[in-house]
């Protein structure tokens, strides 16, 4: 019999959720570079798990961007075909005066190859000097480049959508499967709403970055280097403008992202807290209203909602500043390019700059350089916006991997035996246990339960009655002492065989989305309909089930919200009877059933 005893009757002692941080949140802080690299490496494994999709996506991305980069150069050549000054002409030819008195006629005819002028005295181009065949050739090439780039971009978008679907499925599957390996202790310490936030919001956030942002960064790199190559060939002197503005843009972006990163981590944490609180309060609406606590609950929700909105606002505001800031710098660089490029062109047009000089630039090349400068600045601006999204993704990924790094339930010993044909003889020998170190709940408990006997454990609320069940099922291991079943210490028995020896009915009922018959048959795979009905009759729930619209085929949703708590408990009792395990544990299983 009992030679020891339970801890004091404090309701807080036997509740592991109340003894720990209910949110399981860590203080938000800055991701150090090493941690960030680890997160990125782990994310890339999910990306390259589908290499047969990633490789075509990369090819489509490269082809689309290469065609897009070639188009401005071709448009520049088309403009040169119809421009008044041929880049290949010498400056003497471009400014040679016509045979007349003084230099006025010559000045009026600048840029006209045959020296002719229109009736107003302005320069006029003669149609026979424009090569329309070459012009049409360049126009067709431009159309091919732009149309090809658009088609490839569409194909890339479709490919990325497929990639995103697979990444979401894999990441969510791995996360859920790992959650199923965690000990019960983890779920006692974390709110359900916060865990759901990881599975839904965090996974979606990470997927957006993996399937779109990373490839967008690669696309930006290709565009930047392609534009840089052509701009060097057109005018290295104008490129000096970017040597000034780009470092300013990069430094400003880096400075802002350092500030933004912890804000996105805080945003994710606050959303998890809000989801957890909402889930807890909505599931207990009857109690809330019965005690008239709706105003208090609403006030608390408003506070948490305000904190979440503030976290969103701060993260989004500081993240949104990056884009306009970089855009302003890019527009300044574009203005400087147009200014100095226009000066160089006018000098080239008037013959003040020799062909081949570093200052010489044709109209077509100037047009191409301006287009390249916009293409060059665009990815840098996009990159700044993507960085803000990446901060949110890294924060979400860190939260996901924090769960995946949780230690799974301790594996069975290598020599663990399978409990076969259990008789039900239980011996608890000098057991001590506490959910938190140095806070013992059960002190030196000893108890012998002979085979075939029925034992009732009675004690005040919080004394540790449910804790004994947790120890018997090995949801937790004892701190000292031992629990023996049929002569086998339970730590030397496989968990699956140990838990299958018990059938458990708890005060908190749980029904899953499915038919009544499926819920009863949950504890016994392959049960026949006759066995299900027999178990329902034994639990005195058969009559109620048959009164339902579809009888045993009635679908229960939302944990059986449409039926009473007593009826739910009777269904779980029928489930236990159908399982027919050697040992039955009832934890106030009939508290809601009328006697």
């Amino acid at each position: 019999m009992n030679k020891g005893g339970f801890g004091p009757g404090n309701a807080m002692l036997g509740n592991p959720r109340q003894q720990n941080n209910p949110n399981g949140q860590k203080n938000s802080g800055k991701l150090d570079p090493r941690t960030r690299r680890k997160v990125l490496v782990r994310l890339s494994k999910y990306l390259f798990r589908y290499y047969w999709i990633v490789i075509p996506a990369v090819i489509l991305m490269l082809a689309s961007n290469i065609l897009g980069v070639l188009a401005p150069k071709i448009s520049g050549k088309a403009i040169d075909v119809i421009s008044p000054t041929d880049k290949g002409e010498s400056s003497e030819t471009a400014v040679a005066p016509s045979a007349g008195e003084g230099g006025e006629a010559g000045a009026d005819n600048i840029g006209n190859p045959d020296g002719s002028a229109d009736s107003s005295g302005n320069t006029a181009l003669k149609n026979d000097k424009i090569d329309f065949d070459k012009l049409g050739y360049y126009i067709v090439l431009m159309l091919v480049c732009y149309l090809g780039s658009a088609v490839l971009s569409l194909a890339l978008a479709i490919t990325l959508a497929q990639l995103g679907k697979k990444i979401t499925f894999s990441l969510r599957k791995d996360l859920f499967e790992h959650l199923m390996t965690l000990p019960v202790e983890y779920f006692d310490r974390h709110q359900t709403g916060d865990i759901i936030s990881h599975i839904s919001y965090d996974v979606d956030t990470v997927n957006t970055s993996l399937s779109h942002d990373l490839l967008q960064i690669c696309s930006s790199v290709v565009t930047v280097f392609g534009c840089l190559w052509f701009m060097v060939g057109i005018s290295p002197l104008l490129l000096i403008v970017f040597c000034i503005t780009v470092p300013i843009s990069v430094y400003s972006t880096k400075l802002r992202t350092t500030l933004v990163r912890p804000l996105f981590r805080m945003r994710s944490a606050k959303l998890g807290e809000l989801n957890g609180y909402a889930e807890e309060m909505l599931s207990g609406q009857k109690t809330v209203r019965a005690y008239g606590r709706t105003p208090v609950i609403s006030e608390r929700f408003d506070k948490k909602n305000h904190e979440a909105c503030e976290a969103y606002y701060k993260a989004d505001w500081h993240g949104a500043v990056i884009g306009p800031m970089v855009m302003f710098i890019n527009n300044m660089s574009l203005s400087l390019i147009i200014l100095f490029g226009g000066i160089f062109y006018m000098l080239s047009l008037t013959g003040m700059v020799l062909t081949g000089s570093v200052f010489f630039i044709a109209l077509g090349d100037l047009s191409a350089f301006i287009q390249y400068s916009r293409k060059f600045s665009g990815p840098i601006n996009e990159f700044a916006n993507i960085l803000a999204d990446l901060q949110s993704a890294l924060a979400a990924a860190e939260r996901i991997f924090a769960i995946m790094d949780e230690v799974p339930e301790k594996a069975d010993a290598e020599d663990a035996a399978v409990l076969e044909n259990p008789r039900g003889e239980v011996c608890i020998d000098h057991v001590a246990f506490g959910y938190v170190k140095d806070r013992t709940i059960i002190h030196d408990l000893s108890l012998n339960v002979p085979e075939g006997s029925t034992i009732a454990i009675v004690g005040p609320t919080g004394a540790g009655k449910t804790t004994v069940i947790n120890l018997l099922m090995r949801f937790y291991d004892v701190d000292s002492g031992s629990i023996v079943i049929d002569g086998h210490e339970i730590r030397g028995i496989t968990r699956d065989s140990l838990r299958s020896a018990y059938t458990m009915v708890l005060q908190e009922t749980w029904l899953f989305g499915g038919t009544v018959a499926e819920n009863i048959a949950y504890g016994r795979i392959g049960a026949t309909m006759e066995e299900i009905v027999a178990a329902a009759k034994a639990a005195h729930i058969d009559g109620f089930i048959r009164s339902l619209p579809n009888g045993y085929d009635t679908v229960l949703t939302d944990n059986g919200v449409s039926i009473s708590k007593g009826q739910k408990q009777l269904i779980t009792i029928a489930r236990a009877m159908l399982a027919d395990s050697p040992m039955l544990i009832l934890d106030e299983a009939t508290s809601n059933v009328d006697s």
Side-chain angles (χ1 to χ4, degrees):
M1 296 302 293
N2 186 1
K3 300 178 182 178
F6 299 109
N10 187 335
M12 290 291 291
L13 294 178
N15 191 337
R17 183 187 295 275
Q18 293 174 329
Q19 295 184 39
N20 298 276
N21 180 359
N23 298 322
Q25 297 292 347
K26 299 178 180 179
N27 292 331
S28 294
K30 177 182 175 181
L31 247 68
D32 60 272
R34 184 177 180 182
T35 303
R36 188 164 61 248
R37 283 194 298 270
K38 287 183 178 179
V39 171
L40 287 172
V41 169
R42 295 179 72 172
L43 287 177
S44 64
K45 291 180 181 178
Y46 282 93
L47 185 65
F48 291 105
R49 181 181 294 183
Y50 303 101
Y51 63 89
W52 65 89
I53 300 179
V54 173
I55 293 175
V58 171
I59 293 174
L60 289 171
M61 178 267 297
L62 289 173
S64 174
N65 281 276
I66 289 173
L67 289 177
V69 168
L70 287 175
K73 184 66 176 177
I74 297 172
S75 70
K77 289 184 176 294
I79 291 174
D80 281 340
V81 171
I82 60 175
S83 63
T85 301
D86 192 328
K87 186 176 178 179
E89 289 183 322
S90 65
S91 60
E92 289 81 0
T93 302
V95 298
S98 62
E101 294 183 0
E104 294 181 2
D108 288 339
N109 295 335
I110 290 175
N112 193 335
D114 61 356
S116 62
D118 60 13
S119 58
S120 63
N122 296 325
T123 304
L125 293 175
K126 293 183 64 177
N127 290 340
D128 58 358
K129 293 298 182 180
I130 300 177
D131 190 340
F132 286 100
D133 291 337
K134 183 179 291 186
L135 180 62
Y137 170 74
Y138 287 137
I139 291 175
V140 170
L141 275 183
M142 276 194 299
L143 289 175
V144 170
C145 287
Y146 283 124
L147 184 61
S149 179
V151 171
L152 292 174
S153 296
L154 177 61
L156 177 62
I158 296 173
T159 304
L160 290 179
Q162 183 71 11
L163 178 63
K165 181 182 73 173
K166 292 188 175 294
I167 290 175
T168 301
F169 175 82
S170 296
L171 188 57
R172 193 166 281 147
K173 175 176 177 290
D174 291 348
L175 178 58
F176 186 81
E177 288 181 352
H178 187 75
L179 281 169
M180 294 299 98
T181 68
L182 296 182
V184 174
E185 177 186 1
Y186 178 84
F187 300 96
D188 286 339
R189 291 187 290 107
H190 294 79
Q191 287 184 322
T192 303
D194 190 44
I195 297 174
I196 293 174
S197 177
H198 293 311
I199 298 174
S200 57
Y201 170 78
D202 287 344
V203 171
D204 287 338
T205 302
V206 170
N207 166 60
T208 300
S209 287
L210 269 186
S211 59
H212 293 85
D213 292 347
L214 288 181
L215 284 178
Q216 184 63 40
I217 290 175
C218 296
S219 174
S220 298
V221 170
V222 173
T223 300
V224 166
F225 279 99
C227 292
L228 187 63
W229 173 270
F230 282 108
M231 285 192 293
V232 169
I234 293 173
S235 177
L237 199 60
L238 286 178
L239 205 59
I240 295 176
V241 173
F242 286 111
C243 294
I244 299 172
T245 58
V246 169
I248 296 175
S249 179
V250 171
Y251 176 76
S252 302
T253 301
K254 182 178 177 61
L255 198 63
R256 296 300 301 179
T257 53
T258 302
L259 174 65
V260 166
R261 190 179 302 119
L263 295 178
F264 276 104
R265 295 182 67 202
M266 177 64 73
R267 186 180 79 168
S268 297
K270 289 298 181 182
L271 179 64
E273 291 182 15
L274 180 65
N275 287 342
Y277 183 80
E279 188 270 339
E280 182 180 355
M281 292 301 105
L282 291 175
S283 62
Q285 271 297 294
K286 290 182 180 179
T287 303
V288 170
R289 297 190 182 190
Y291 285 91
R293 303 290 288 178
T294 301
V296 177
I297 297 304
S298 298
E299 182 179 348
R300 292 176 182 173
F301 179 84
D302 289 343
K303 181 180 178 182
K304 290 185 178 292
N305 188 29
H306 176 73
E307 291 175 353
C309 290
E310 281 296 313
Y312 260 79
Y313 173 77
K314 289 181 180 179
D316 291 340
W317 188 89
H318 288 283
V321 168
I322 298 176
M325 178 181 65
V326 175
M327 185 178 296
F328 171 77
I329 298 173
N330 291 340
N331 287 336
M332 287 298 297
S333 66
L334 181 62
S335 300
L336 292 174
I337 287 170
I338 294 174
L339 174 63
F340 291 112
I343 293 173
F344 293 162
Y345 172 67
M346 293 304 297
L347 294 175
S348 303
L349 187 66
T350 58
M352 298 179 66
V353 175
L354 296 176
T355 303
S357 168
V358 71
F359 295 99
F360 184 89
I361 189 168
L363 182 60
D365 284 342
L366 177 58
S367 172
F369 195 97
I370 293 173
Q371 292 182 67
Y372 281 126
S373 67
R374 293 194 66 85
K375 279 183 170 290
F376 183 85
S377 302
I380 295 178
N381 187 32
E382 291 176 4
F383 184 71
N385 293 326
I386 290 173
L387 278 181
D389 293 335
L390 280 177
Q391 306 312 311
S392 178
L394 287 175
E398 186 191 13
R399 282 159 53 91
I400 292 173
F401 291 136
I403 296 179
M404 292 187 175
D405 291 337
E406 288 281 344
V407 180
E409 191 172 46
K410 188 178 179 181
D412 295 324
E414 293 183 1
D415 58 348
V418 176
L419 184 62
E420 297 178 347
N421 302 317
R423 303 185 308 274
E425 182 180 347
V426 179
C427 177
I428 300 176
D429 186 29
H430 298 289
V431 165
F433 173 77
Y435 289 106
V436 179
K437 188 177 180 180
D438 300 328
R439 291 187 64 185
T440 303
I441 297 173
I442 297 179
H443 305 265
D444 192 27
L445 174 65
S446 294
L447 181 67
N448 291 317
V449 182
E451 175 185 350
S453 61
T454 300
I455 297 294
I457 300 178
V458 181
T461 300
K465 301 185 296 296
T466 302
T467 300
V468 174
I469 297 175
N470 290 335
L471 296 177
L472 289 172
M473 300 288 289
R474 277 201 75 191
F475 293 145
Y476 293 85
D477 283 328
V478 298
D479 294 336
S480 64
S482 63
I483 300 177
V484 178
I485 295 180
D486 295 342
H488 301 281
E489 216 283 342
I490 62 173
R491 284 172 290 190
I493 302 174
T494 61
R495 283 188 176 85
D496 287 342
S497 64
L498 172 66
R499 291 169 183 171
S500 63
Y502 291 100
T503 297
M504 186 167 56
V505 182
L506 303 178
Q507 180 180 8
E508 297 178 359
T509 57
W510 177 75
L511 301 177
F512 62 86
T515 64
V516 174
E518 290 171 342
N519 270 278
I520 296 176
Y522 184 78
R524 183 175 171 185
I525 300 175
T528 63
M529 194 63 199
E530 290 76 13
E531 292 172 329
I532 293 173
V533 173
K537 288 181 178 179
H540 300 286
I541 192 65
D542 176 68
F544 166 74
I545 295 174
R546 293 186 185 278
S547 68
L548 295 173
N550 297 312
Y552 283 87
D553 293 326
T554 301
V555 177
L556 301 177
T557 58
D558 295 330
N559 195 25
V561 69
S562 59
I563 62 178
S564 70
K565 286 187 176 181
Q567 291 159 346
K568 287 193 287 186
Q569 276 195 332
L570 290 175
I571 291 175
T572 59
I573 292 173
R575 178 193 296 168
M577 289 183 171
L578 181 60
D580 195 24
S581 299
M583 291 177 283
L584 176 64
I585 296 176
L586 302 176
D587 186 10
E588 300 187 44
T590 59
S591 58
N592 294 303
V593 178
D594 295 331
S595 57

